[in-house]
Amino acid sequence: METNREPLEQADYILEVKNLKKYFPIKGGFLNGPVGYVKAVDDISFAIKRGTTMGLVGESGCGKSTAGRTILRLLEKTDGQVLFDGQEVFSFNRKEMQEIRTKMQIIFQDPYSSLSPRLPVGEIIGEAVREHNIVKKEQFDEYITKIMNDCGLQEYHKDRYPHEFSGGQRQRICIARALALNPEFIVCDEPVSALDVSIQAQIINLLKELQEKFGLTYLFISHDLSVVEHISDTVGVMYLGGMVEIGNTKDIFSNPLHPYTKALFSAIPIPDPDAQINRIILEGSIPSPANPPSGCKFHTRCSECMEICKSEIPQVKDMGDGHIVACHLYNDK
């Protein structure tokens, strides 16, 4: 594949997402044609620096997982750009896309359903390695053993099947499968939400160790804000398909600006039974992404809603140090 990208040491951002949209058609009528669209991802933009982790948070159904899969081109985009190492992912032909697949990987939420029950672990991890010719044939077994050891698995696990492992071990298998292709960027789609709390910490620590060892970049999608705070360098907050706030982790957790971010972060448990929690309760239900409200999508549930919020889409504003918010409250600041 021909490339004109910058040398790795000069490229600050491994991934740049610009005005990305992913709409799913709603079919109906006499000809079963599209009568509307579910705007799962609606005009989001962000960038991730090489070797860092960006956390992506928001309520269920806000479009986090769809964004991650569209970035990897597991779903075709509706509009926008996804630049990986400065190249438009959606401009690649089939052969070029197959080559770039080794550099962009994903770890799914459910480690059991994402593993074939008919293949032993060694074959699950090695299948794509063989397909993409990552190593020579005579080095294959040794390479798979090394990857398994890096992920906390033993060599004798090669001949066992997924049902013989615990949930945490299965997720280690999924991580090893992704790591085996020598990727640069990994989408972690809620990789610990199906695991016990004690196992979650082990998997998070493993991801951090692998990142440090191999220089990996993560897009970490999660509901667990405490986990996101622990692992992420930057955080993006999504609501109803749109990005409402982005900032570095310390800034966004200590000083959330958007009313939705404030409400979301107020739900983080505090490990002190005597601590006063100023919980912000959002009224109403989440609007349908097939028929989102006009203006600011959050205005139907916002306690600080103004008239302008109902009719005009808020502009993105940089509040300093890369802390970006889309809210009419900050128009004059």
Side-chain angles (χ1 to χ4, degrees), residues 299-326:
H299 85 258
T300 57
R301 305 172 71 195
C302 182
S303 60
E304 302 182 63
C305 176
M306 303 176 290
E307 280 302 314
I308 191 174
C309 302
K310 300 176 183 179
S311 58
E312 293 187 22
I313 298 174
Q315 298 298 309
V316 173
K317 188 171 180 63
D318 191 336
M319 304 300 290
D321 295 324
H323 195 156
I324 298 169
V325 63

Side-chain angles (χ1 to χ4, degrees), residues 40-236:
V41 178
D42 193 14
D43 199 14
I44 66 171
S45 300
F46 61 87
I48 308 178
K49 287 187 176 181
R50 190 176 303 277
T52 66
T53 300
M54 177 177 174
L56 193 58
V57 302
E59 294 170 293
S60 294
C62 71
K64 304 186 300 296
S65 294
T66 302
R69 295 180 188 213
T70 306
I71 287 167
L72 295 181
R73 204 174 167 180
L74 298 178
L75 298 170
E76 290 297 317
K77 69 176 182 179
T78 300
D79 197 8
Q81 286 184 299
V82 177
L83 304 179
F84 179 73
D85 279 344
Q87 300 176 93
E88 169 57 78
V89 172
F90 288 90
S91 69
F92 294 145
N93 60 34
R94 186 173 180 178
K95 182 181 178 182
E96 291 172 332
M97 197 64 222
Q98 186 167 356
E99 291 181 34
I100 207 72
R101 286 281 180 218
T102 62
K103 301 303 179 185
M104 305 171 72
Q105 286 292 300
I106 185 169
I107 301 168
F108 293 101
Q109 177 178 359
D110 186 348
Y112 189 68
S113 63
S114 62
L115 298 173
S116 172
R118 297 183 177 89
L119 295 178
V121 166
E123 185 60 26
I124 288 173
I125 297 172
E127 188 177 22
V129 173
R130 191 182 292 112
E131 175 69 23
H132 290 278
N133 298 313
I134 301 298
V135 294
K136 296 179 180 178
K137 189 175 181 180
E138 59 270 19
Q139 299 173 329
F140 180 81
D141 285 337
E142 182 182 348
Y143 180 76
I144 298 303
T145 299
K146 178 183 179 300
I147 292 296
M148 292 178 68
N149 289 337
D150 285 337
C151 296
L153 298 165
Q154 303 301 316
E155 185 174 5
Y156 64 83
H157 288 150
K158 282 183 181 179
D159 300 322
R160 296 188 178 181
Y161 289 82
H163 72 271
E164 300 179 71
F165 293 87
S166 67
Q169 287 176 314
R170 289 177 195 150
Q171 197 58 288
R172 289 177 185 270
I173 296 168
C174 293
I175 294 171
R177 179 177 59 183
L179 189 67
L181 294 179
N182 192 27
E184 297 176 14
F185 171 68
I186 300 178
V187 173
C188 304
D189 189 4
E190 303 194 43
V192 298
S193 63
L195 306 177
D196 293 337
V197 175
S198 59
I199 306 301
Q200 286 184 9
Q202 295 177 23
I203 297 300
I204 292 298
N205 289 335
L206 172 63
L207 289 172
K208 293 187 75 172
E209 289 169 10
L210 293 174
Q211 182 176 46
E212 186 174 337
K213 184 175 182 179
F214 297 104
L216 300 172
T217 305
Y218 296 140
L219 175 62
F220 193 90
I221 300 168
S222 181
H223 284 102
D224 193 327
L225 297 171
S226 299
V227 170
V228 169
E229 184 177 16
H230 179 67
I231 197 173
S232 301
D233 299 289
T234 58
V235 177

